[in-house]
Amino acid sequence: QVQLVESGGGLVQAGGSLRLSCAASGRTFTTYAMGWFRQAPGKEREFVTAISWTGHTTYYADSVKGRFTISRDNAKNTVFLQMNSLKPEDTAVYYCAADNSPYGSKVVVDHAYWGQGTQVTVSS
């Protein structure tokens, strides 16, 4: 089992920044690739970004490329999502997830463990 707890969400104006954190506990964190997904009201959960277990490989949705950065600190069992130049369409609940493999995936069902989510609201 892996337990994931997100933090850092909040209300920000368009153009602003937020940094989300996801703290992991339980099974060995370093064996998992990690991902961030988001879900807006009335919409399906969608991929945002992912990082391999080494941190050397990252993936981004086209909608956030160049604005968001994923990173991880394996010594602290934590993954981060730095979000810059936020837009109102970025408003959603953001979820941290642990992948079943160490390589990273954009697919929801590939992720076995999920956090409870943190709300990000971007005002125009």
Side-chain angles (χ1 to χ4, degrees), residues 47-48 60-67 106:
F47 169 76
V48 177
Y60 294 93
D62 288 343
S63 58
V64 306
K65 203 170 293 183
R67 300 187 298 121
K106 302 178 181 181

Side-chain angles (χ1 to χ4, degrees), residues 3 9 21 33 41 44 55-56 61 63 65 67-68 73 76 81 90 102 117 119-120:
Q3 292 78 43
S21 299
E44 292 188 354
H56 292 163
S63 58
K65 203 170 293 183
R67 300 187 298 121
F68 289 12
D73 185 338
K76 297 182 178 180
L81 179 60
D90 294 319
Q119 177 70 47
V120 171

Side-chain angles (χ1 to χ4, degrees), residues 2-124:
V2 175
Q3 292 78 43
L4 303 172
V5 179
E6 303 98 333
S7 61
L11 173 64
V12 64
Q13 289 188 333
S17 298
L18 283 175
R19 189 191 196 206
L20 306 184
S21 299
C22 173
S25 60
R27 294 185 63 181
T28 307
F29 174 71
T30 55
T31 63
Y32 293 92
M34 299 295 296
W36 286 96
F37 292 76
R38 66 187 182 186
Q39 189 166 17
K43 295 188 177 181
E44 292 188 354
R45 192 167 297 188
E46 66 174 5
F47 169 76
V48 177
T49 180
I51 188 167
S52 64
W53 72 277
T54 62
H56 292 163
T57 303
T58 56
Y59 309 89
Y60 294 93
D62 288 343
S63 58
V64 306
K65 203 170 293 183
R67 300 187 298 121
F68 289 12
T69 302
I70 189 171
S71 61
R72 66 189 295 164
D73 185 338
N74 286 344
K76 297 182 178 180
N77 287 358
T78 304
V79 63
F80 304 97
L81 179 60
Q82 178 66 44
M83 304 186 295
N84 299 328
S85 302
L86 283 161
K87 304 175 181 180
E89 51 264 43
D90 294 319
T91 295
V93 177
Y94 282 71
Y95 297 91
C96 171
D99 194 340
N100 289 324
S101 85
Y103 306 112
S105 170
K106 302 178 181 181
V107 180
V108 169
V109 297
D110 287 344
H111 295 75
Y113 304 103
W114 293 82
Q116 82 289 348
T118 185
Q119 177 70 47
V120 171
T121 303
V122 184
S123 63
S124 57

